[in-house]
């Protein structure tokens, strides 16, 4: 493989806490978490632009100039394509051949308006579809057509009391935690946005640093999709307040 003297990232493993945010932010897939530490495992996947730098809460990532494998854009795109196909095939197999009953696609029927008006004291679920986990949802699910998309970190629903009415109502909801799932959602979200008529995207995250991974994945997916879609990021504090 060709090598050249170029700018590339450097990871200080002594500072690294293994949160995985850098791996989630690197949509090329150059970084893996190995034995609890982030490692640059594919030099030829690193474009030297440093999307991973701002995601690191420990300041463990920097740039350096050194001899490294030449950035291979074609290899990156092929890897992303294979990941996308694998995710799609896995989801389609699960949903067409039985699979887990808990991950079968469903569209919920909204409560009639007159019912809502006569029971004002009873909270109403605004969940419009199933499944809700980013890892489980098929990229071509029918409920994505014309949808307003809510991409939310798991904890936001527990931290913010009016989550259903203010954020879920009228939207298709996807939830995940990149730290616990240990996966980069970028490819999956890119396919969802590219393959469907998404009207808008709301990204809901907690204020804690590790929650930046879901924001980074959603923003990277929006960029990679090549579409111009209205989007916003909302941050929830750990005591349940909207802080920006």
């Amino acid at each position: 493989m060709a090598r050249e003297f170029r700018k590339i990232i450097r990871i200080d493993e002594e500072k690294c806490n293994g949160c995985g945010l850098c791996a989630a932010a690197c949509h090329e897939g150059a970084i893996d978490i190995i034995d609890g530490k982030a490692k640059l495992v594919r030099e030829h996947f690193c474009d030297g632009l440093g999307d991973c730098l701002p995601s690191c809460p420990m300041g463990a990532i920097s740039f350096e100039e050194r001899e490294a494998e030449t950035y291979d854009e074609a290899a990156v795109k092929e890897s992303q394509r294979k990941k996308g196909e694998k995710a799609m095939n896995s989801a389609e197999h699960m949903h067409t051949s039985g699979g887990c009953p808990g991950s079968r696609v469903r569209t919920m029927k909204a409560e009639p308006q007159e019912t809502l008006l006569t029971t004002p004291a009873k909270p109403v679920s605004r969940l419009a579809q199933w499944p809700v986990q980013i890892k489980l949802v098929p990229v071509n699910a029918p409920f994505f057509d014309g949808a307003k998309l809510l991409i939310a970190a798991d904890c936001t629903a527990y931290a913010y009391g009016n989550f259903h009415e203010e954020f879920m109502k009228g939207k298709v909801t996807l939830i995940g935690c990149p730290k616990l799932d240990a996966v980069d959602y970028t490819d999956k979200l890119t396919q969802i946005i590219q393959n469907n008529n998404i009207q808008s995207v709301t990204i809901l995250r907690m204020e804690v640093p590790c929650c930046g991974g879901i924001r980074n994945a959603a923003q990277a997916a929006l960029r990679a999709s090549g579409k111009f879609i209205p989007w916003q990021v909302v941050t929830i504090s750990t005591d349940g307040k909207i802080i920006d």
Side-chain angles (χ1 to χ4, degrees):
M1 185 170 291
R3 299 181 68 85
E4 62 179 325
F5 194 82
R6 67 184 182 95
K7 183 170 72 172
I8 196 167
I9 66 160
R10 177 182 180 274
I11 301 174
D12 186 337
E13 292 188 14
E14 291 187 4
K15 293 182 180 180
C16 176
N17 66 356
C19 70
L21 293 180
C22 57
C26 178
H27 61 274
E28 289 87 5
I31 302 172
D32 284 346
I33 305 300
I34 301 175
D35 297 330
K37 297 289 183 179
K39 297 182 186 294
L40 177 60
V41 294
R42 302 170 192 87
E43 285 188 350
H44 62 302
F45 278 25
C46 177
D47 59 9
L49 297 179
D51 286 349
C52 54
L53 267 71
S55 68
C56 179
M58 307 304 293
I61 304 177
S62 59
F63 283 120
E64 64 179 350
E65 296 273 352
R66 64 174 176 84
E67 183 181 276
E69 293 176 1
T70 301
Y71 174 61
D72 191 339
E73 184 177 6
V76 170
K77 289 183 176 180
E78 178 64 14
S79 176
Q80 292 173 336
R81 184 189 66 78
K82 288 180 178 179
K83 283 183 181 179
E85 286 184 353
K86 182 177 180 181
M88 288 180 63
N89 290 338
S90 176
E92 290 303 319
H93 175 75
M94 180 178 292
H95 297 298
T96 58
S97 63
C100 173
S103 62
R104 289 174 186 161
V105 173
R106 292 177 57 197
T107 299
M108 311 304 189
K109 184 177 181 180
E111 288 279 350
Q113 186 63 28
E114 57 270 21
T115 301
L116 301 182
L117 293 175
T118 57
T119 57
K122 182 181 178 181
V124 175
S125 172
R126 298 299 185 179
L127 184 62
Q129 92 294 334
W130 189 268
V132 296
Q133 288 285 344
I134 298 172
K135 290 177 66 176
L136 296 179
V137 68
V139 298
N140 292 313
F143 48 70
F144 283 130
D145 185 34
K148 296 178 179 178
L149 193 61
L150 172 65
I151 302 172
D154 290 351
C155 298
T156 56
Y158 297 95
Y160 194 71
N162 208 27
F163 181 81
H164 278 248
E165 290 299 319
E166 292 188 38
F167 293 107
M168 287 177 61
K169 185 178 180 180
K171 297 182 178 69
V172 166
T173 302
L174 298 180
I175 65 172
C177 176
K179 184 172 183 179
L180 297 181
D181 286 345
V183 68
D184 183 356
Y185 299 129
T186 302
D187 290 342
K188 186 76 171 284
L189 293 175
T190 299
Q191 292 177 65
I192 290 171
I193 296 170
Q194 282 182 333
N195 297 342
N196 299 281
N197 180 28
I198 302 298
Q199 298 298 302
S200 66
V201 175
T202 299
I203 304 161
L204 192 62
R205 57 160 295 182
M206 295 297 296
E207 64 176 327
V208 294
C210 59
C211 211
I214 200 160
R215 177 204 62 203
N216 294 336
Q219 290 177 328
L222 284 161
R223 290 195 300 269
S225 73
K227 294 183 176 181
F228 296 96
I229 298 172
W231 63 277
Q232 63 172 330
V233 179
V234 180
T235 304
I236 306 296
S237 67
T238 52
D239 60 353
K241 297 181 178 65
I242 296 176
I243 57 178
D244 63 31

